[in-house]
């Protein structure tokens, strides 16, 4: 489901702040969930969503970093706008992957341009990934935008290394956690939000 408000794409801190509120409101206002996946690489509203439900809640960046670290000793992130690289850098630090993430590379391809992803766009992303593998001495590529998901198979075949789409990985991780009967802890800081009117 889509939040009831927010930007069409997230390409900076301002966009992310509005999107996070939309995600939190969507999860809090909806019925019971088996699991929740936040399909934006900034993982906007992740902690708020975890407060709002007992179901497992996964952000695609967090899931992608975990998967990449299981498949290679080091990975690189290839994302859209260079201005968003700092957002990914902060997530790497927050999630504890500083030692495994060897570089974050922007392509300056606007998010919405990925909806009609032609050969030139694919070639730009592939070139950035090749440069990242060489410069960073990494063994895997994390695609730093949900809009790149459709390119995963093509890029993996061309590059010859694991290419991680965080959307697919987060869905599979969420399915596994739900099947195991595991959900978000309600003990401590992920306890349900305190009831109060919003004005």
């Amino acid at each position: 489901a889509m939040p009831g408000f927010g930007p069409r794409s997230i390409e900076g801190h301002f966009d992310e702040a509005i999107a996070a509120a939309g995600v939190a409101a969507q999860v809090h206002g909806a019925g019971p969930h088996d699991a929740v996946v936040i399909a934006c690489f900034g993982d906007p509203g992740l902690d708020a969503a975890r407060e709002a439900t007992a179901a497992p809640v996964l952000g695609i960046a967090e899931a992608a970093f975990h998967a990449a670290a299981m498949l290679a000793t080091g990975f690189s992130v290839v994302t859209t706008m260079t201005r968003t690289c700092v957002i990914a850098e902060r997530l790497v630090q927050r999630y504890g992957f500083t030692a495994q993430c060897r570089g974050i590379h922007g392509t300056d391809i606007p998010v919405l341009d990925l909806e009609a992803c032609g050969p030139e766009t694919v070639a730009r992303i592939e070139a950035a990934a090749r440069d990242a593998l060489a410069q960073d001495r990494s063994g895997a590529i994390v695609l730093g935008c949900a809009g790149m998901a459709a390119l995963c198979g093509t890029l993996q075949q061309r590059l010859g290394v694991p290419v991680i789409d965080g959307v697919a990985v987060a869905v599979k991780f969420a399915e596994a956690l739900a099947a195991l009967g595991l959900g978000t802890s309600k003990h401590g800081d992920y306890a349900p939000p305190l009831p109060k009117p919003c004005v």
Side-chain angles (χ1 to χ4, degrees):
M2 293 287 289
F5 62 90
R8 289 191 62 218
S9 63
I10 299 174
E11 294 174 320
H13 302 291
F14 185 85
D15 294 343
E16 184 179 23
I18 298 171
V23 167
Q26 176 74 22
V27 175
H28 190 251
H33 313 280
D34 293 323
V36 174
V37 171
I38 299 174
C40 169
F41 200 76
D43 293 355
L46 180 62
D47 285 324
R50 285 178 173 162
E51 279 190 17
T53 181
V57 180
L58 285 84
I60 66 170
E62 184 179 27
F65 297 158
H66 277 284
M70 294 175 191
L71 301 172
T73 57
F75 63 86
S76 299
V77 178
V78 174
T79 190
T80 51
M81 306 301 286
T82 301
R83 65 178 289 170
T84 66
C85 287
V86 68
I87 296 173
E89 288 170 7
R90 289 175 179 175
L91 290 178
V92 166
Q93 294 163 5
R94 173 186 167 185
Y95 297 147
F97 287 98
T98 304
Q100 291 90 354
C101 181
R102 296 186 181 159
I104 299 170
H105 305 262
T107 59
D108 287 320
I109 299 169
V111 171
L112 296 180
D113 284 5
L114 295 170
E115 292 179 359
C117 194
E120 301 85 4
T121 302
V122 177
R124 282 175 64 184
I125 296 169
E126 180 184 349
R130 288 189 185 282
D131 288 346
L133 291 168
Q135 292 172 23
D136 301 342
R137 295 182 298 108
S138 56
I141 294 291
V142 168
L143 298 177
C145 180
M148 293 180 175
L151 307 180
C152 188
T154 299
L155 290 173
Q156 183 162 288
Q157 185 177 29
R158 292 182 184 180
L159 297 170
V161 299
V163 176
I164 293 94
D165 159 33
V167 178
V169 168
V171 167
K172 290 300 183 183
F173 284 176
E175 288 175 352
L177 292 171
L180 291 167
L182 296 172
T184 300
S185 174
K186 297 290 108 181
H187 180 78
D189 52 310
Y190 281 153
L194 299 172
K196 62 185 69 173
C198 289
V199 296

